[in-house]
Structures are given as structure tokens and as C-alpha cells.
């Protein structure tokens, strides 16, 4: 148990990190910054080759430090002002002058989609030409994972992969070694001092939520929930989750605590639990243990469905995390956690990811509501049974089935969705031009 405990704590620490801005365009900026920092000098041109999901699903989201959206401007910002050592906070030092210089570099930025990439995950290859030479890097699988970097054909970091599958393979992720019960037992028994770093997740993500209630932030979905005739804690949890997404999708310059390299996922898996714990008058220890379980389950589910998936990770992965964490808040046991997970899968399975955007705020709120309600139902002995549609007899089996569905059943659907959105946006651009 000592080995397992230390391993889970290591996973939790490695997958829960601050991220400034939506991690899709941020990953592109990071990959470009890695190439730029490898070679040094003043950027002259940028080329990016990337998977369809990273491109198509990140064109409508705001970017901190600039009033322009899209992958090309994220690439230019990474070249002009990106700090690769900062990881998912690569754009934290962007100034108004940097934004102006990035816009000036745009004509020299080339972005292409690798449509033949059939892996399930992130793939971003970048080349930056400067007055000192050409830097070349590959970031894959995780938004901040550098596979290799080279300068003028000379390897300076990492190693060259043997193929696409190698760099995006998630089948060996250590989180898969554990059952749902293992994760619950860890969250309940780990010494509290080892979980205190999760306080930062509470601070960062709740600050985003509060920012999202300011007038003119996105579509102000978070504020809109306050106009619904209900004063219950569940509606408040939904409202706060939506408000955090309002702020983040608008490009507000506040970091989120990401989970499994997604800021929205980190928000969804934590904010509703913070709200519910406070509304129920529970102490910090119970709240942090619930968040730990939520994050670990979210990480595990994302490993099965893919970092980039046809499934919406907030509606599927984070909702499973919330359901388990909420059951823990309510004093539930392993059987009740299992039941809550099965119910939330039975009610939210099938929500697709059509990209990062303002509307994500509503998906976060839906995930929060369904998960919290599933936890309360489980505490009363009501859960979706195995064999009821897609749901299996146990939570572990259900999660495995979801992974197979995402990887084996939705590949063509995801590609078609990406092509439809891409073609629509290209037609719109041509009409404006």
C-alpha cells in the first residue's frame, strides 16, 4: 500500500497544475516557444503542424493578453513572448507590445492540420526560423510534454519517436493500475498534509468563478443562473462552475488549476465540490479529500477516453469525479461511490466535444448538476443498474466500456465533426474576405 499511495500522490501532483488560458491554444504557444527557445534569436517565421482536434476545437476561445482568437495568433504569441519553462503558463509575461508584435508576425505564420493523424491525443509539431537558425519541436499526448527539440537538425532535447502511436499511447498510463475503490481509499486515508497543495486549486478556480460574475464576461451564463427561481446549493454550484468557464473562455488573465492538462476539466472537477462543501458547512479536510478523489477519477477517465476525445471531458470525466467526490462529502461508502458513478454515466454519456468556447460554461453546469444529483440519489440507494443501456455492473467496468467507445466507436464521428466545423469556418472566412 505504501508504493501505491506514493504513486497516486505523484500522479495527482503531476496532473494538477496551474494553466493560464485555454490549454488548447496554450499548448500550441508552448510548442512554438519550445522551438523558439531551443534556437534563440528573433523569430522570422513559424510553421505548425497539428492534429485536427487541437486546431478545430480551439479556434473560438479567448487568449490571455490579446484581443484576437485562433491558433495562428497563439502560435505568433508563443514565438514572440512565450516562456517555455513556464509550461502551461507559457503566456504569463505577454505585454501589449508583445501582442502588437505577434500580430505583425501573423503573415509569416503557417498552420496546417495533420488530417492523416489517427492517434487519440494531442500532436503539435512546430518549426521557428530566427536570425540564428531553425528550431523544431514536437509536443504530444500531454499539452506540456516535449517529445523532442532540435536546432538545425541537431537533437538538443528528448528523443525521436518511432511513430505517431508511440507518442500518444495512453494505454500504459499508471493511473490505470488502480480501481475506483483504490482511488477512494487513497482519498480517505492519505495524510492530510500531503493533500494541502490542493488548496491552490480552490484559490485559483474560485477566483476565476468570482471573476466570471463581472458584467460583460463572455455570455455571463454564471450570472444568468442567479435569475433562475431557486436558491438551493446545487444551483449555486452550477452557477459558480459556469461563471469560472465564462471567465476562462473569454481569455481573462487569471490561471486555472488544470487537471489532466485541461483547465475547464480542473474547474469542473473542483468548483462544484468547493461550493457544496461550504454550503453544507463541512470542514476543509473533507473538502480536500473529495477534490483529491474527483481529480484522480477525472485523470483516470481521461486516460481511457483520450486527452482529446469525441466525448466532452467536462461532461464525462469531470462529472464522474464530481459524483464520487460529492458522495465522499456526504459520507458515502465505496458501494455508494460506485453507484453514483454509474448513474452519472447513464445520464451524461454521449455529450460530444465540439471545441472550447463560451458555450462550455453550460456544459460545465450540466455536468455539475447531474453529478451532484447522482451522488444524492446514490446515498438513498438509487443508482442505474448494470445492464441498463451502456452502464455495466460496476463503475470500473463502465469506465472501461467508455474508453472502448471513445477509441473504437467515435473516431470517424470525431473526424466528421471536426471537418464540418472546419469547413463551416472556412466558408464564413471566405464570405467575409
Amino acid at each position: 500500500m505504501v508504493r501505491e499511495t506514493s504513486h497516486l500522490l505523484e500522479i495527482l501532483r503531476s496532473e494538477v497544475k496551474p494553466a493560464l488560458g485555454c490549454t488548447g491554444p496554450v499548448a500550441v504557444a508552448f510548442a512554438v516557444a519550445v522551438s523558439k527557445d531551443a534556437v534563440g534569436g528573433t523569430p522570422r517565421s513559424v510553421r505548425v503542424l497539428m492534429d485536427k482536434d487541437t486546431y478545430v476545437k480551439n479556434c473560438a476561445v479567448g487568449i490571455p493578453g490579446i484581443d484576437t482568437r485562433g491558433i495562428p495568433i497563439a502560435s505568433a504569441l508563443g514565438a514572440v513572448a512565450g516562456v517555455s519553462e513556464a509550461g502551461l503558463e507559457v503566456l504569463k509575461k505577454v505585454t501589449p507590445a508583445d501582442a502588437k508584435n505577434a500580430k505583425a508576425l501573423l503573415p509569416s505564420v503557417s498552420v496546417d492540420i495533420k488530417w492523416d493523424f489517427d492517434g487519440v491525443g494531442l500532436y503539435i509539431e512546430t518549426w521557428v526560423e530566427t536570425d540564428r537558425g531553425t528550431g523544431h519541436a514536437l509536443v504530444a499526448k500531454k499539452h506540456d510534454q516535449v517529445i523532442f527539440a532540435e536546432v538545425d537538425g541537431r537533437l538538443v532535447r528528448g528523443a525521436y519517436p518511432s511513430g505517431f502511436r508511440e507518442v500518444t499511447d495512453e494505454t500504459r498510463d499508471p493511473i490505470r493500475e488502480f480501481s475506483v475503490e483504490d482511488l477512494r481509499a487513497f482519498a480517505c486515508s492519505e495524510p492530510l498534509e500531503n493533500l494541502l497543495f490542493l488548496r491552490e486549486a480552490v484559490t485559483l478556480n474560485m477566483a476565476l468563478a468570482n471573476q466570471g460574475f463581472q458584467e460583460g464576461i463572455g455570455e455571463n451564463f454564471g450570472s444568468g443562473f442567479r435569475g433562475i427561481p431557486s436558491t438551493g446549493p446545487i444551483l449555486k454550484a452550477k452557477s459558480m462552475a459556469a461563471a469560472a468557464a465564462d471567465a476562462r473562455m473569454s481569455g481573462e488573465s487569471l490561471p486555472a488549476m488544470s487537471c489532466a492538462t485541461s483547465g475547464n476539466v480542473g474547474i469542473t472537477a473542483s468548483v462544484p465540490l468547493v461550493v457544496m462543501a461550504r454550503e453544507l458547512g463541512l470542514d476543509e479536510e473533507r473538502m480536500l479529500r473529495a477534490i483529491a478523489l474527483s481529480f484522480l477519477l477525472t485523470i483516470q477517465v481521461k486516460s481511457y477516453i483520450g486527452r482529446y476525445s469525441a466525448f466532452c471531458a467536462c461532461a464525462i470525466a469531470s462529472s464522474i469525479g464530481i459524483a464520487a467526490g460529492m458522495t465522499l462529502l456526504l459520507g458515502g461508502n465505496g458501494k455508494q461511490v460506485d453507484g453514483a458513478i454509474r448513474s452519472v454515466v447513464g445520464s451524461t454519456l454521449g455529450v460530444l466535444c465540439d471545441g472550447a468556447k463560451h458555450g462550455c460554461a453550460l456544459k460545465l453546469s450540466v455536468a455539475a448538476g447531474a453529478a451532484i444529483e447522482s451522488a444524492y440519489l446514490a446515498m438513498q440507494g438509487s443508482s442505474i443498474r448494470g445492464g441498463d443501456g451502456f452502464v455495466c455492473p460496476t463503475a470500473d467496468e463502465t469506465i472501461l466500456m467508455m474508453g472502448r467507445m471513445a477509441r473504437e466507436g467515435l473516431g470517424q464521428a470525431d473526424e466528421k465533426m471536426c471537418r464540418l466545423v472546419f469547413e463551416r469556418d472556412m466558408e464564413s472566412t471566405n464570405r467575409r474576405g
Side-chain angles (χ1 to χ4, degrees):
M1 185 64 184
V2 174
R3 183 194 68 81
E4 290 186 354
T5 297
S6 62
H7 206 175
L8 281 172
L9 184 61
E10 179 185 338
I11 292 169
L12 193 59
R13 286 186 174 277
S14 68
E15 293 281 13
V16 176
K17 300 177 181 178
L20 178 62
C22 178
T23 50
V26 162
V28 177
F30 171 71
V32 171
V34 171
S35 288
K36 180 260 298 183
D37 288 346
V39 65
T42 303
R44 292 176 175 173
S45 66
V46 178
R47 181 190 168 209
V48 181
L49 179 65
M50 61 202 304
D51 68 272
K52 63 185 185 304
D53 291 287
T54 303
Y55 182 90
V56 175
K57 295 180 179 180
N58 291 288
C59 290
V61 65
I63 301 172
I66 199 163
D67 58 0
T68 306
R69 301 179 182 183
I71 298 302
I73 193 63
S75 304
L77 272 177
V80 169
V83 181
S84 62
E85 292 84 359
L88 296 178
E89 294 183 282
V90 61
L91 300 179
K92 67 179 183 179
K93 293 187 177 181
V94 171
T95 66
D98 293 327
K100 181 178 179 180
N101 291 334
K103 290 179 180 180
L105 184 63
L106 268 179
S108 299
V109 174
S110 170
V111 177
D112 296 308
I113 302 175
K114 190 172 181 56
W115 288 105
D116 62 345
F117 175 67
D118 60 355
V120 179
L122 176 143
Y123 183 97
I124 308 171
E125 195 169 1
T126 61
W127 294 261
V128 177
E129 181 186 354
T130 76
D131 54 352
R132 296 184 184 178
T134 300
H136 174 207
L138 173 62
V139 170
K141 184 179 176 181
K142 297 182 181 181
H143 296 65
D144 58 351
Q145 179 169 290
V146 180
I147 305 301
F148 74 81
E150 62 178 14
V151 175
D152 294 330
R154 176 175 56 87
L155 187 69
V156 296
R157 180 176 179 181
Y160 297 118
S162 60
F164 300 139
R165 292 287 185 183
E166 177 189 340
V167 298
T168 60
D169 181 26
E170 293 176 293
T171 61
R172 299 177 183 176
D173 285 359
I175 191 69
R176 296 192 182 197
E177 299 173 8
F178 302 94
S179 67
V180 170
E181 177 56 24
D182 290 333
L183 304 184
R184 188 193 71 84
F186 167 85
C188 291
S189 62
E190 183 69 6
L192 180 60
E193 59 264 28
N194 291 342
L195 301 179
L196 293 180
F197 75 96
L198 295 175
R199 285 173 170 170
E200 188 179 8
V202 176
T203 300
L204 294 183
N205 292 345
M206 292 302 286
L208 267 170
N210 289 324
Q211 180 68 14
F213 287 115
Q214 303 300 312
E215 186 175 353
I217 301 295
E219 303 299 330
N220 278 129
F221 287 120
S223 297
F225 274 102
R226 291 178 167 178
I228 296 176
S230 173
T231 58
I234 297 178
L235 186 67
K236 184 173 182 179
K238 295 176 67 172
S239 172
M240 294 292 282
D246 282 331
R248 189 162 177 275
M249 295 294 93
S250 296
E252 291 293 301
S253 295
L254 291 174
M257 184 59 79
S258 70
C259 177
T261 58
S262 170
N264 272 3
V265 166
I267 288 169
T268 316
S270 60
V271 168
L273 295 174
V274 176
V275 174
M276 293 303 297
R278 290 175 176 175
E279 290 292 304
L280 296 174
L282 303 178
D283 61 28
E284 183 189 46
E285 177 176 351
R286 188 177 291 192
M287 178 182 71
L288 293 179
R289 292 189 183 282
I291 292 172
L293 177 57
S294 181
F295 279 156
L296 284 169
L297 268 166
T298 300
I299 294 163
Q300 185 181 69
V301 175
K302 283 201 72 176
S303 172
Y304 281 108
I305 68 173
R307 297 271 169 165
Y308 266 120
S309 173
F311 282 138
C312 170
C314 294
I316 300 300
S318 296
S319 62
I320 288 176
I322 300 168
M326 186 65 212
T327 307
L328 211 63
L329 283 181
L330 296 173
N333 57 30
K335 181 179 178 181
Q336 290 161 329
V337 167
D338 192 285
I341 292 172
R342 284 184 278 112
S343 289
V344 81
V345 171
S347 59
T348 64
L349 184 73
V351 179
L352 299 179
C353 175
D354 55 346
K357 58 202 177 304
H358 292 300
C360 287
L362 292 179
K363 287 188 176 181
L364 268 64
S365 68
V366 168
I372 295 170
E373 290 163 359
S374 293
Y376 272 104
L377 288 170
M379 293 298 294
Q380 300 174 52
S382 298
S383 300
I384 295 179
R385 297 180 181 180
D388 190 314
F390 198 83
V391 177
C392 299
T394 68
D396 291 303
E397 293 171 285
T398 304
I399 291 170
L400 284 171
M401 276 274 282
M402 283 175 35
R404 291 192 61 187
M405 185 64 194
R407 294 174 180 277
E408 300 172 24
L410 293 179
Q412 289 186 343
D414 187 51
E415 180 177 352
K416 185 63 176 178
M417 180 167 55
C418 286
R419 285 191 181 275
L420 288 172
V421 173
F422 178 76
E423 290 167 2
R424 180 203 63 192
D425 291 349
M426 289 300 99
E427 290 174 2
S428 178
T429 298
N430 292 337
R431 284 196 298 270
R432 289 197 301 268

